[in-house]
C-alpha cells in the first residue's frame, strides 16, 4: 500500500497518519529527576498493564508545528509558549515540570534529525506532539513517581479533509467539558476522553465539532473541544474581534493569542468578553465566527446548532476577516511575512543537551504506520 506521504513526498498527508523516523524520549523518577533527552528510532513502546497512566490518567500533551521557510531552513512556531503551557498542564496533574529549555531542545533536535520530513507545500508542516505520561507500575491512586516524556512528529496538511470549508458546531445540552477548579485549562488527555460522547452526539446532529458552554449556567460560550472560538463584528465602525476571556475552564490557545495580536496589528479592535449562546445565535450579532488552534490554524464556523435552532453565520461561508487572519498567520508561520513578534524560532543543528542514539531508524517512507509496526496503533 502506498502511503500518502514520505520524506519530500507530495500530495496532502492529511493529519496525524504517518510519523517521522525518530522520536525524542526522556524518563523521570523521583530520586534522579529527568534523564538526558535522547533521540531514538520511532518505535512501539511497551508498558505493563499496571502502568499508572492506564488507571489514573496522568497524561498531558502539546501540539506545535515546524514550517519550511522560503530559504529552505525550518522554524518552529512559538515553542517557548508551548513549553510553558506543557509545564502548567503538568503541574495541574501533579506531574513533574521540566527545566527551561528541555522541551524546546527535544523538539528542535527531533526536527533537525528528521528535517526531510518537513513538507514545503503551502499550508503543510511537521506537527510535533510532545507528551508526558505516568510510567510507574503499580496500583494505588496517588501521583506517580515515574514519568516518560516523548516527542513524535507527523507531516500534516489540512486538519479537515475538506480543507477550509466552514464547519458546523453543536452546542450540547447534556455534557460539560470543564468546570471551575477542574482541568479545563490543562492540555490533558482526560479532557478529550470526557468530550468524546459529545462528539458522537455532534456527529449525529450532522455537526463537525462540539461547542462547549459553561458548566454553571450552560449559557456562556467557552470553546470547542480542541480549538478556541472568536467572533467577528464587521460594521461601519470598523472590525472587532470578540473572544471569550481565558479562565480556568478554557484552554489558553496560542493560536487564539497570536490571532488576536495579529488582528490588533491589522487595525481590528480586540474585545475579550463573555458571549452567550443566545447572542452567538442571534441573527446579526456577528458577521463571522471562527475556531482556531494549531492543528487547523483557523476553521470558519458556518453554523451553530442547538437543540432548538440552527443559526447560520452570515451567508454560511468563510468570511473575509477570518480568511485574512488565517492567511496572515500562515504567512508569518511559513516565513512569507515578517515576524515582528519574534514567534518563529529557527531549528538549529545539534542541540548539545540532547543525545542522538546511533540506532538506525526504521523508515516510514512508502508505508503506513500501521503497516510498519502493527503494535504501534
Ligand atoms: C490545544 C487546544 C486548543 C488550541 O490551542 P493552540 O495552542 O492554539 O493549539 C484549544 N482548546 C483546547 C481544548 C485544546 O486542547
Amino acid at each position: 500500500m502506498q502511503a500518502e506521504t514520505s520524506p519530500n513526498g507530495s500530495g496532502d498527508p492529511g493529519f496525524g497518519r504517518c510519523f517521522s523516523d525518530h522520536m525524542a524520549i526522556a524518563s523521570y523518577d523521583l530520586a534522579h529527576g529527568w534523564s538526558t533527552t535522547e533521540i531514538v528510532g520511532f518505535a512501539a513502546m511497551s508498558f505493563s498493564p499496571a502502568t499508572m497512566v492506564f488507571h489514573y490518567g496522568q497524561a498531558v500533551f502539546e501540539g506545535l508545528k515546524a514550517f519550511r521557510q522560503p530559504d529552505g531552513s525550518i522554524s518552529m512556531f512559538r515553542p517557548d509558549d508551548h513549553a510553558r503551557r506543557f509545564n502548567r498542564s503538568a503541574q495541574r496533574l501533579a506531574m513533574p515540570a521540566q527545566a527551561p529549555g528541555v522541551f524546546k531542545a527535544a523538539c528542535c533536535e527531533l526536527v533537525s534529525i528528521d528535517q526531510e520530513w518537513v513538507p514545503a507545500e503551502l499550508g503543510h508542516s511537521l506537527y510535533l506532539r510532545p507528551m508526558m505520561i505516568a510510567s510507574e507500575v503499580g496500583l494505588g491512586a496517588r501521583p506517580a513517581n515515574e514519568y516518560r516524556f516523548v516527542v513524535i512528529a507527523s507531516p500534516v496538511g489540512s486538519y479537515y479533509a475538506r480543507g477550509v470549508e466552514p464547519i458546523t458546531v453543536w452546542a450540547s445540552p447534556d455534557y460539560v467539558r470543564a468546570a471551575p477548579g477542574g482541568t479545563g485549562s490543562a492540555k490533558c488527555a482526560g479532557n478529550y476522553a470526557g468530550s468524546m460522547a459529545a462528539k458522537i452526539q455532534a456527529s449525529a446532529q450532522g455537526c463537525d465539532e462540539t461547542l462547549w458552554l459553561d458548566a454553571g449556567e450552560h449559557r456562556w460560550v467557552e470553546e470547542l473541544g480542541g480549538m478556541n472560538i472568536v467572533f467577528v463584528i464587521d460594521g461601519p465602525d470598523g472590525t472587532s474581534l470578540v473572544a471569550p476571556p481565558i479562565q480556568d475552564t478554557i484552554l489558553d490557545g496560542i493560536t487564539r493569542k497570536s490571532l488576536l495580536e495579529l488582528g490588533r496589528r491589522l487595525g481590528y479592535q480586540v474585545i475579550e468578553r463573555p458571549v452567550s449562546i443566545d447572542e452567538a445565535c442571534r441573527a446579526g450579532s456577528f458577521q463571522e465566527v471562527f475556531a482556531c488552534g494549531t492543528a487547523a490554524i483557523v476553521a470558519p464556523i458556518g453554523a451553530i446548532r442547538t437543540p432548538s435552532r440552527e443559526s447560520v453565520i452570515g451567508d454560511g461561508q468563510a468570511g473575509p476577516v477570518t480568511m485574512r487572519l488565517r492567511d496572515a498567520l500562515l504567512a508569518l508561520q511559513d516565513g512569507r511575512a515578517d515576524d515582528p513578534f519574534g514567534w518563529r524560532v529557527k531549528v538549529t543543528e545539534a542541540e548539545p543537551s540532547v543525545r542522538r542514539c546511533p540506532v538506525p531508524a526504521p523508515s516510514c517512507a512508502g508505508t503506513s504506520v500501521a503497516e510498519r509496526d502493527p503494535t504501534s496503533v
Side-chain angles (χ1 to χ4, degrees):
M1 185 177 79
Q2 194 65 33
E4 280 80 355
T5 192
S6 61
N8 309 314
S10 56
D12 192 335
F15 198 92
R17 292 201 302 250
C18 190
F19 299 90
S20 71
D21 292 328
H22 296 85
M23 60 189 192
I25 185 158
S27 306
Y28 172 96
D29 70 57
L30 207 52
H32 304 97
W34 283 106
S35 70
T36 299
T37 307
E38 292 186 336
I39 301 288
V40 299
F42 184 101
M45 300 165 72
S46 112
F47 292 97
S48 158
T51 305
M52 288 175 79
V53 64
F54 300 137
H55 304 270
Y56 312 113
Q58 280 180 293
V60 296
F61 66 95
E62 269 302 324
L64 67 161
K65 282 177 170 173
F67 291 86
R68 182 74 64 183
Q69 305 293 298
D71 67 359
S73 67
I74 300 164
S75 288
M76 296 190 294
F77 188 67
R78 305 190 77 168
D80 296 297
D81 296 78
H82 286 277
R84 275 191 289 274
R85 189 171 68 190
F86 192 62
N87 272 349
R88 286 203 304 274
S89 298
Q91 187 177 37
R92 177 62 186 83
L93 272 81
M95 301 167 82
Q98 289 174 314
V102 170
F103 178 100
K104 187 162 79 175
C107 293
C108 250
E109 190 66 4
L110 179 60
V111 174
S112 175
I113 198 167
D114 281 345
Q115 53 190 277
E116 79 229 60
W117 284 93
V118 183
E121 287 85 352
L122 186 65
H124 294 191
S125 58
L126 187 67
Y127 181 80
L128 302 174
R129 168 53 60 85
M131 56 113 166
M132 193 203 305
I133 56 166
S135 55
E136 185 182 347
V137 175
L139 303 182
R142 57 164 172 77
N145 291 328
E146 293 167 25
Y147 295 88
R148 202 68 65 84
F149 168 64
V150 185
V151 189
I152 55 174
S154 171
V156 298
S158 312
Y159 184 68
Y160 291 107
R162 52 181 207 271
V164 274
E165 283 298 296
I167 59 170
T168 301
V169 297
W170 167 248
S172 168
D174 302 316
Y175 300 109
V176 161
R177 189 190 88 93
T183 57
S185 62
K187 215 168 170 68
C188 62
N191 287 345
Y192 279 77
S195 69
M196 297 303 178
K199 182 121 186 168
I200 290 173
Q201 201 183 50
S203 300
Q205 295 291 329
C207 295
D208 303 287
E209 298 287 347
T210 311
L211 177 63
W212 293 105
L213 306 180
D214 74 294
E217 295 179 71
H218 222 64
R219 174 174 174 210
W220 303 104
V221 173
E222 296 202 320
E223 62 166 317
L224 274 60
M227 285 186 274
N228 295 110
I229 189 165
V230 178
F231 300 87
V232 180
I233 299 174
D234 200 12
D237 303 329
T239 302
S240 302
L241 305 178
V242 180
I246 295 300
Q247 48 191 11
D248 75 348
T249 52
I250 299 180
L251 203 286
D252 189 358
I254 291 160
T255 313
R256 169 190 180 278
K257 190 159 64 178
S258 305
L259 288 166
L260 295 184
E261 278 202 55
L262 267 177
R264 249 182 229 115
R265 244 186 133 78
L266 293 173
Y268 303 154
Q269 207 192 334
V270 173
I271 306 164
E272 295 187 69
R273 66 157 171 88
V275 173
S276 69
I277 185 69
D278 288 330
E279 183 185 13
C281 291
R282 198 179 308 129
S285 293
F286 302 107
Q287 282 65 53
E288 302 175 29
V289 183
F290 63 83
C292 55
T294 297
I297 308 180
V298 167
I301 295 178
I304 301 175
R305 271 181 92 147
T306 70
S308 57
R309 62 188 156 184
E310 160 141 356
S311 306
V312 175
I313 310 295
D315 58 3
Q317 298 305 307
V321 176
T322 300
M323 293 314 285
R324 189 177 174 203
L325 282 168
R326 184 180 203 280
D327 292 344
L329 181 56
L330 186 56
L332 193 159
Q333 291 175 325
D334 70 16
R336 283 173 296 130
D338 288 343
D339 175 21
F341 310 99
W343 290 340
R344 286 194 299 253
V345 172
K346 225 178 195 47
V347 172
T348 49
E349 297 284 332
E351 286 283 339
S353 63
V354 180
R355 189 184 311 140
R356 285 190 185 191
C357 268
V359 176
S363 179
C364 156
T367 55
S368 74
V369 119
E371 210 174 23
R372 186 164 52 130
D373 184 353
T375 60
S376 71
V377 289

